Amino acid sequence: MKDHRKHGGSVSWSTFFWFTLVVVLSSVIVTSLVISSFHLFDVPHFHFPKSVLKWQTRAPAQVTIRESVMLPDQVLIFLNYPSSFPYHTKNDLQCVYFSAYLEPRPPQQPIQIHSVRLHEQIVRCPLPPRGETVSLRINSNDPLQIKNSSMHNWDPLIYEALFDRDNTTIVFVKGLNLRPEKLGESSRFQCVYGWDFTRTKFFFKSDVLSVAQEIIRCKTPTSILAQAQAHTQAYLKVSIQVEGKKIFPSIARPGFLSTQKQPKPKLHELCLCTMLRNQARFIREWVMYHARIGVERWFIYDNNSDDDIENVITFLQNAGYNITWHLWAWVKTQEAGFAHCAVRARASCEWVAFIDVDEFYNIKIKGGLKHVIQHYSRPENNVAEIRTPCYSFGPSGLKEVPREGVMMGYTCRLAARERHKSIVRPDALNQTLINVVHHFHLRTPFVATDVEKRVMVINHYKYQVWKVFKQKFYRRVATYVADWKLQQNVGSKDRVPGLGTKPVEPADWSSRFCEVKDMGLRNWVMRNFMDRRTHLLPWQPEFERHIKRRRKRKEKGIL
């Protein structure tokens, strides 16, 4: 009888609980399938069969404007694309301008268009007149809409960010106006993470570890880091808040650097980083020469060029040179760009050199650039930065761009050395990433050393023929270097002696800056690069045509 009362007709609580749980979960799954078919929400982590997906009636895929930034000389418009949606070309788009009081102006073609992230493009449009706004039109359709809250002025702005490998976030800021090489008071700042900075309930805040120049480093909140590692932070932004002030406007969505263990030795012993604008005509010579003396990889930061630079880089990549092109659209931020490059290069490069495309290492001993580095960086010396003196070359009597290249054409220079440029170990940089283009700050116990001029110098082809030199008046990329057209820092070494602030060619320009005849690098290039039959150099367009003709003749001979 006891057994009958225990097991007959009644159900135990545990059985009832598990039965109820199965019923509830089944109901949730079925309901979720139905609701998802009506697009009320998406259920994460469920993978439906293709037959179920066909039931869904999706709205037409549309390209949208995420945000725009008004630079001093142009507008950046950020486009978001749906998955599997083909990217538009420059010919598909028009920049359209609006005013509340004036008739619409004729549309203009974009300056350039860049694919920079998955499902994202940056379109560069001419700057609108004061009081007007700019949008985009695709294939003569109605202009795309953008919210006023998504339109940003350049200053102030959080414009770039990176999740670093030490669980910190590096934030790049315009508008702090801090002095070069000086630390700011970090306790006055906080980093702010979120999707919409107008909704305070969805903020994540963290402490700032260092503030210097245009760079802030802060602790990454654990929850944010988890999302970053899972790659679910697609539209997460980071900004900063200064004590007693509003949150800075931001377009910065942090990129996530790989945390994988770095190979030892690293993939590349020597890399090279530069920032340029409209220097495509010089890149072939610069890359080919430095590859011969030991550079293995190049990071090219493009500061809004419009001179077909991407096609030149593609040509070099197809020729076997390891080059990474990176759009760096931000005005007068060279120091920040070099810090950004150092962090990116750290995983694969033992050493990184920072020079411009008109600067060439001139090695005066045997063994190449790697041999010089090994000589000056013995482990017991803790050397992590090698500084090379620069010598500035003038037009050397020329009035037209030398067809053979700058190393062959410019052979007369000033006698005095001018500053230095550095090769650094990115692993040894100070946490602040402070630099002033010519050198970085290192962490303890690392030190810098100077190269003797009898070992190596940099040939800086600074004062070229006027046709080339006058382009520098348009805009200079370094943050703390005044534009030549501004009446500012008149006594600075960055100024051109006797030129003033107007881009007007002096009558004697071709003969200026000529104190020492220096043929050393020119002679080395002739011995090591020049084709003996044609007297052509590999960076000349005629050389490429010559090689093609030679191949055709060989093929005909074989046939």
Side-chain angles (χ1 to χ4, degrees):
M1 290 294 293
K2 289 181 180 179
D3 290 340
H4 176 74
R5 286 193 300 269
K6 185 175 181 181
H7 297 289
S10 63
V11 179
S12 69
W13 281 107
S14 62
T15 303
F16 176 78
F17 171 79
W18 288 110
F19 176 80
T20 304
L21 182 61
V22 170
V23 171
V24 170
L25 288 176
S26 301
S27 300
V28 169
I29 293 173
V30 172
T31 304
S32 300
L33 288 170
V34 174
I35 291 176
S36 65
S37 69
F38 286 94
H39 293 283
L40 295 180
F41 61 83
D42 293 325
V43 182
H45 309 302
F46 284 93
H47 301 280
F48 304 119
K50 290 183 179 180
S51 58
V52 174
L53 293 175
K54 289 180 180 178
W55 301 342
Q56 303 181 5
T57 56
R58 296 186 180 274
Q62 292 183 341
V63 180
T64 57
I65 294 179
R66 177 166 59 85
E67 52 209 348
S68 64
V69 178
M70 303 280 282
L71 296 177
D73 58 350
Q74 59 189 274
V75 181
L76 305 180
I77 300 179
F78 294 77
L79 289 183
N80 277 351
Y81 282 79
S83 296
S84 304
F85 198 95
Y87 286 155
H88 288 294
T89 67
K90 186 176 177 180
N91 294 329
D92 296 331
L93 302 174
Q94 289 181 319
C95 303
V96 290
Y97 301 87
F98 303 94
S99 170
Y101 309 102
L102 302 174
E103 291 293 326
R105 291 198 302 132
Q108 297 188 47
Q109 189 178 38
I111 300 170
Q112 196 57 273
I113 184 169
H114 309 279
S115 299
V116 290
R117 293 197 193 196
L118 188 64
H119 310 314
E120 182 180 295
Q121 282 183 321
I122 296 179
V123 182
R124 293 162 46 201
C125 284
L127 194 69
R130 185 181 297 274
E132 294 190 22
T133 58
V134 61
S135 185
L136 290 175
R137 177 184 293 159
I138 301 175
N139 295 326
S140 299
N141 294 328
D142 292 334
L144 301 177
Q145 300 299 312
I146 181 172
K147 297 179 181 178
N148 288 335
S149 60
S150 299
M151 300 179 67
H152 304 285
N153 291 321
W154 166 227
D155 188 352
L157 186 69
I158 312 296
Y159 57 90
E160 291 277 355
L162 288 170
F163 289 123
D164 205 357
R165 64 187 182 187
D166 59 353
N167 297 345
T168 64
T169 306
I170 306 170
V171 183
F172 297 88
V173 189
K174 193 68 177 178
L176 288 180
N177 299 319
L178 299 178
R179 296 175 60 191
E181 297 192 89
K182 298 294 182 182
L183 282 172
E185 180 52 59
S186 59
S187 63
R188 296 180 55 244
F189 297 82
Q190 275 193 312
C191 278
V192 184
Y193 301 81
W195 290 265
D196 183 354
F197 293 130
T198 64
R199 305 176 67 183
T200 57
K201 291 183 179 180
F202 299 99
F203 283 177
F204 296 86
K205 290 191 174 183
S206 69
D207 295 333
V208 167
L209 302 175
S210 65
V211 179
Q213 298 183 179
E214 291 190 351
I215 303 172
I216 290 180
R217 188 187 289 269
C218 51
K219 295 180 181 177
T220 307
T222 305
S223 57
I224 297 296
L225 189 62
Q227 291 184 60
Q229 291 171 335
H231 301 286
T232 60
Q233 83 293 359
Y235 294 103
L236 176 74
K237 291 183 181 180
V238 61
S239 186
I240 63 162
Q241 186 170 20
V242 185
E243 187 177 47
K245 297 183 179 180
K246 294 181 179 180
I247 296 173
F248 269 54
S250 173
I251 64 166
R253 292 179 292 155
F256 191 72
L257 295 175
S258 174
T259 55
Q260 295 181 356
K261 190 175 181 180
Q262 298 177 6
K264 290 186 178 181
K266 295 183 180 180
L267 293 176
H268 309 293
E269 185 177 345
L270 179 59
C271 303
L272 202 157
C273 180
T274 194
M275 185 178 293
L276 53 78
R277 177 185 172 89
N278 291 340
Q279 301 289 309
R281 73 176 88 175
F282 305 116
I283 293 176
R284 284 194 190 189
E285 179 183 4
W286 186 74
V287 168
M288 291 178 177
Y289 169 76
H290 284 99
R292 178 68 67 90
I293 64 172
V295 175
E296 299 166 349
R297 185 179 179 185
W298 292 259
F299 295 86
I300 295 183
Y301 277 51
D302 180 6
N303 196 217
N304 293 329
S305 296
D306 51 22
D307 62 348
D308 203 35
I309 182 176
E310 293 180 64
N311 286 336
V312 175
I313 291 175
T314 299
F315 167 83
L316 290 168
Q317 290 170 335
N318 292 338
Y321 297 97
N322 190 345
I323 301 176
T324 302
W325 174 90
H326 183 85
L327 177 65
W328 188 262
W330 320 117
V331 179
K332 288 187 71 65
T333 57
Q334 189 175 22
E335 290 82 358
F338 279 1
H340 190 278
C341 184
V343 173
R344 287 180 61 217
R346 185 180 56 199
S348 59
C349 304
E350 194 70 44
W351 292 87
V352 183
F354 293 85
I355 59 174
D356 298 331
V357 293
D358 60 354
E359 296 172 332
F360 292 72
Y361 282 101
N362 181 359
I363 303 169
K364 302 189 175 185
I365 60 173
K366 293 183 179 180
L369 194 49
K370 292 180 182 178
H371 178 74
V372 175
I373 293 173
Q374 292 167 0
H375 174 74
Y376 282 94
S377 63
R378 296 187 182 93
E380 64 271 15
N381 296 336
N382 286 324
V383 169
E385 181 175 27
I386 299 169
R387 298 176 176 179
T388 307
C390 302
Y391 288 88
S392 295
F393 282 69
S396 306
L398 301 179
K399 295 186 178 181
E400 296 294 333
V401 177
R403 294 178 59 189
E404 303 88 352
V406 296
M407 292 183 289
M408 292 289 291
Y410 302 115
T411 56
C412 202
R413 63 170 173 83
L414 295 175
R417 56 178 289 179
E418 185 184 75
R419 295 185 173 178
H420 61 262
K421 292 295 178 74
S422 294
I423 307 172
V424 302
R425 280 185 54 193
D427 280 330
L429 298 185
N430 187 285
Q431 187 184 42
T432 64
L433 298 176
I434 286 178
N435 71 90
V436 282
V437 180
H438 309 287
H439 60 262
F440 282 78
H441 285 200
L442 306 173
R443 58 184 172 87
T444 306
F446 295 104
V447 296
T449 190
D450 294 319
V451 174
E452 299 163 280
K453 65 179 183 180
R454 63 177 180 82
V455 174
M456 182 172 70
V457 299
I458 289 176
N459 283 19
H460 184 185
Y461 300 104
K462 183 175 182 178
Y463 308 118
Q464 300 187 31
V465 296
W466 184 260
K467 179 181 178 180
V468 174
F469 180 80
K470 69 178 181 181
Q471 295 177 357
K472 292 189 176 185
F473 269 91
Y474 178 65
R475 188 177 75 196
R476 307 189 69 186
V477 297
T479 311
Y480 301 100
V481 175
D483 287 337
W484 284 325
K485 59 182 177 289
L486 300 177
Q487 194 70 29
Q488 183 179 340
N489 297 335
V490 178
S492 170
K493 289 184 178 180
D494 291 301
R495 290 282 183 183
V496 182
L499 191 60
T501 59
K502 295 181 180 181
V504 178
E505 180 180 5
D508 62 342
W509 177 260
S510 64
S511 60
R512 287 192 178 189
F513 318 109
C514 185
E515 297 174 349
V516 177
K517 197 70 173 177
D518 188 339
M519 306 281 284
L521 188 55
R522 181 183 188 276
N523 293 337
W524 190 92
V525 168
M526 288 181 64
R527 291 194 303 270
N528 290 276
F529 282 99
M530 183 171 284
D531 185 284
R532 293 185 179 181
R533 286 195 295 177
T534 64
H535 299 286
L536 293 173
L537 297 158
W539 44 82
Q540 291 182 261
E542 298 88 347
F543 184 88
E544 185 181 349
R545 292 194 289 268
H546 168 71
I547 294 297
K548 289 180 179 179
R549 288 195 299 268
R550 184 185 295 179
R551 287 173 182 167
K552 287 182 179 179
R553 286 197 297 268
K554 286 185 177 180
E555 289 172 359
K556 289 180 179 179
I558 293 173
L559 291 173

